[in-house]
Amino acid sequence: MARTRLLSAIVLAGLAVAGAAADEQRPRIPPTGAISQVRANLYVIPGAGGNTTVFVTAGGVVLVDTKLPNNGEAILRQVRTVTDKPVTTIINTHSHPDHIGSNEYFRATVEVVTPENTKKWMAANPRVASNPAAMPDRTFTDRMTLGSGDDRIDLYYFGAGHTNGDAFVVFPARRAMCAGDLFAWKMAPLIDPMAGGSVLALPGTLEKAETGIPNVDTVIEGHGDVNTWQGFRDYVQFNRALVDAAKAGMGQKSAEEIAAGLKPKFPVFTKEDLLPDMEYGGTPLSRAVINVNVAFQELGKR
């Protein structure tokens, strides 16, 4: 527990330092945005926290993540521009409030599905646990399939990373995947050690997804853009390189030097500019510095 508290303090301190210079130019958290089509009956709604993915099936609407609290009406308003079918299922990729915050708005008519560890962290949060409407009905440990045919959804859990309850949500008929905050804003993910997150475990988790999830072309990030499978593969390689460089450089180089050394090979993930509509967390380069520091701390506790 002391270790996770220390790591959380490091992450928060790093975010504060990294973001301070950009605070004046940083936009406020954008509101729920307009729905846009990804493929056929698959859509994404940005803003107000994490992306909400909308999958319109024969029997109803499946939502992946529900943003910050008090955005249920805004989400439904966007859904209603593409279908009149009821919302029947919510899948939460992990336990953070910007992804589960509006579950309760839909709760009377939906089934909520999460990884088992996500349920554990939701139950450990008094604000969430005290509201049964926010809690999941079904959980899975490593894999689950919902629906069939064109409506099939495959859920995967491969291990710790951003938290230790991060799900990959795959729509096989659309060759598309939601990555949650394991892949967001094309930068190193914020690690939440208090929810079981780990920089050292992250590359292995991503590599298992890369090799274990077949036939995906399109990747919906937890925040930010819709990306490609090649973009995801590049991101997997970047996170492996960051951990390898931290291991090799610990005690010899600073976190800043190690992160800067990644720039030539991984310019996309080490930009020094604040990304458009970035809600928190500084620049991609500053996030890489934070994760090298967290890697140092994890390595020091082994």
Side-chain angles (χ1 to χ4, degrees):
M1 182 62 72
R3 174 191 174 195
T4 57
R5 286 174 178 165
L6 175 60
L7 290 176
S8 293
I10 290 168
V11 171
L12 292 173
L15 287 173
V17 171
D23 277 346
E24 290 187 1
Q25 57 180 308
R26 186 188 312 283
R28 294 184 177 180
I29 293 177
T32 297
I35 194 169
S36 61
Q37 189 174 45
V38 178
R39 286 186 172 182
N41 56 331
L42 185 67
Y43 305 83
V44 65
I45 305 171
N51 285 328
T52 296
T53 297
V54 179
F55 186 48
V56 182
T57 73
V61 176
V62 178
L63 301 179
V64 180
D65 291 334
T66 60
K67 306 188 180 299
L68 289 161
N70 303 314
N71 283 282
E73 182 177 355
I75 292 169
L76 186 59
R77 190 181 306 121
Q78 292 302 314
V79 170
R80 286 290 168 260
T81 67
V82 298
T83 182
D84 291 329
K85 292 182 178 180
V87 176
T88 58
T89 307
I90 290 172
I91 301 167
N92 292 133
T93 58
H94 63 289
S95 58
H96 286 160
D98 58 335
H99 292 259
I100 68 170
S102 297
N103 281 11
E104 62 186 90
Y105 178 84
F106 302 94
R107 198 59 176 86
T109 60
V110 306
E111 178 178 63
V112 178
V113 182
T114 73
E116 180 62 34
N117 283 349
T118 291
K119 181 180 180 179
K120 180 180 73 173
W121 295 118
M122 291 169 73
N125 183 336
R127 292 183 180 179
V128 179
S130 63
N131 182 5
M135 294 294 293
D137 302 289
R138 298 175 65 189
T139 65
F140 65 99
T141 53
D142 54 3
R143 184 164 177 180
M144 173 185 282
T145 294
L146 306 174
S148 61
D150 282 352
D151 292 343
R152 176 176 164 180
I153 303 170
D154 290 331
L155 308 179
Y156 297 85
Y157 172 76
F158 291 112
H162 174 60
T163 70
N164 73 348
D166 299 296
F168 292 92
V169 183
V170 179
F171 308 95
R174 299 295 167 257
R175 300 179 65 90
M177 174 179 84
C178 296
D181 281 2
L182 283 169
F183 185 25
W185 285 310
K186 293 189 286 293
M187 64 169 67
L190 177 66
I191 302 300
D192 182 359
M194 292 298 288
S198 169
V199 165
L200 299 185
L202 173 66
T205 295
L206 294 172
E207 287 161 358
K208 288 175 184 176
E210 181 184 9
T211 59
I213 298 176
N215 304 320
V216 169
D217 301 323
T218 301
V219 180
I220 301 170
E221 299 178 20
H223 298 251
D225 298 331
V226 175
N227 213 309
T228 64
W229 186 251
Q230 184 58 53
F232 177 69
R233 294 183 66 192
D234 293 343
Y235 177 77
V236 175
Q237 293 173 15
F238 163 69
N239 282 282
R240 172 57 69 189
L242 185 149
V243 168
D244 288 347
K247 290 178 178 178
M250 185 175 177
Q252 302 178 48
K253 296 181 180 180
S254 69
E256 289 77 10
E257 290 171 327
I258 291 171
L262 298 170
K263 292 180 67 175
K265 188 173 181 180
F266 301 103
V268 171
F269 308 117
T270 54
K271 291 181 179 179
E272 298 186 56
D273 299 324
L274 194 68
L275 302 181
D277 293 326
M278 180 68 183
E279 297 165 7
Y280 56 84
T283 67
L285 182 61
S286 68
R287 183 71 71 79
V289 171
I290 291 169
N291 278 16
V292 173
N293 274 318
V294 175
F296 286 165
Q297 291 298 319
E298 289 189 30
L299 289 166
K301 297 295 182 180
R302 282 187 163 187

